[in-house]
Amino acid sequence: MFVQKELREKNIAEYLLYMWQVEDMIRAAGLDSDRLYDAVIKVSGRSQDECREWKQWYDDLIEMMRSEGKTERGHLQINENVLILLNDLHQRLLESHKQPEYRDLYYKALPFIVEFRAKNHSTENEELRDCFNMLYGVWLLRVQGREVSASTAQAVKAVSAFIGKLAVLYREDKEGTLEIE
């Protein structure tokens, strides 16, 4: 099973961040699946059948990026749909009296979200998108070997706890075990 399938089932937040990484990796490869094949797939140690399937997955994503005009920036509609689903659940959870822990984590993260939005001049009123942008941005800093300040680490800790809880509740909702009403 490919990573994205496993992540989608187990942790929707990690899945979304992974898919954003894949979009950036595709862009870095110039939307060339042969380059991705040589750099990522061929060296994976997978069988030829798995490699072909994996390459086809990249080819499909590349085609979607082209057809949706996401070759330089932005996220595929399949990834935007995940944010829509998470936003819908987020609103239902905030309105529920059966999820006080979720609301507490949200309100602990909210000042950091507002600060992030102000620093990045975000005009969209999408808190979850801001959370994912923050988490992805910090991941990129770490990959580049850049230092993360103590205040940023504190913000990431609060936002990660909030988003992590949302991911757990999303899985429970999909399994039909979430108590929300």
Side-chain angles (χ1 to χ4, degrees):
M1 179 185 290
F2 293 136
V3 171
Q4 75 279 4
K5 290 178 184 177
E6 185 176 336
L7 285 176
R8 179 139 188 148
E9 292 173 13
K10 292 185 179 180
N11 189 321
I12 196 69
E14 288 181 10
Y15 165 81
L16 187 60
L17 292 169
Y18 174 79
M19 290 302 295
W20 285 10
Q21 176 190 5
V22 168
E23 290 170 338
D24 281 347
M25 189 170 53
I26 289 170
R27 289 183 188 108
L31 282 78
D32 184 341
S33 68
D34 291 332
R35 284 178 63 189
L36 287 167
Y37 184 85
D38 291 339
V40 178
I41 301 169
K42 188 166 60 173
V43 298
S44 70
R46 297 183 188 263
S47 71
Q48 284 187 333
D49 287 342
E50 289 174 318
C51 286
R52 270 193 296 276
E53 186 178 341
W54 201 0
K55 185 176 184 308
Q56 184 60 55
W57 182 68
Y58 278 117
D59 287 340
D60 293 344
L61 288 175
I62 289 167
E63 178 55 34
M64 282 190 266
M65 290 174 78
R66 285 186 175 126
S67 68
E68 293 178 19
K70 305 294 182 183
T71 58
E72 293 183 28
R73 66 174 191 218
H75 301 295
L76 290 168
Q77 190 59 50
I78 58 172
N79 298 326
E80 292 295 325
N81 290 346
V82 171
L83 265 177
I84 290 167
L85 292 172
L86 289 173
N87 269 312
D88 289 345
L89 178 59
H90 170 66
Q91 292 306 315
R92 290 188 298 140
L93 289 166
L94 289 179
E95 294 168 6
S96 172
H97 297 291
K98 293 192 175 194
Q99 296 297 330
E101 180 186 358
Y102 179 80
R103 277 195 317 280
D104 288 348
L105 289 169
Y106 167 69
Y107 287 118
K108 285 178 185 174
L110 188 56
F112 300 112
I113 299 166
V114 171
E115 182 180 355
F116 177 83
R117 182 178 294 145
K119 283 182 180 178
N120 290 283
H121 309 290
S122 178
T123 57
E124 299 173 10
N125 191 20
E126 296 184 49
E127 293 167 344
L128 291 184
R129 182 181 303 279
D130 291 331
C131 290
F132 280 99
N133 281 332
M134 177 193 300
L135 296 174
Y136 190 72
V138 169
W139 174 80
L140 284 174
L141 288 174
R142 289 180 174 149
V143 165
Q144 295 167 359
R146 295 174 62 190
E147 196 169 316
V148 175
S149 70
S151 61
T152 298
Q154 182 184 13
V156 167
K157 183 177 179 182
V159 169
S160 292
F162 161 59
I163 293 296
K165 183 66 173 178
L166 178 60
V168 167
L169 295 173
Y170 176 86
R171 188 177 67 235
E172 288 178 14
D173 191 38
K174 291 305 240 182
E175 294 169 350
T177 61
L178 178 63
E179 290 189 36
I180 201 165
E181 299 298 325

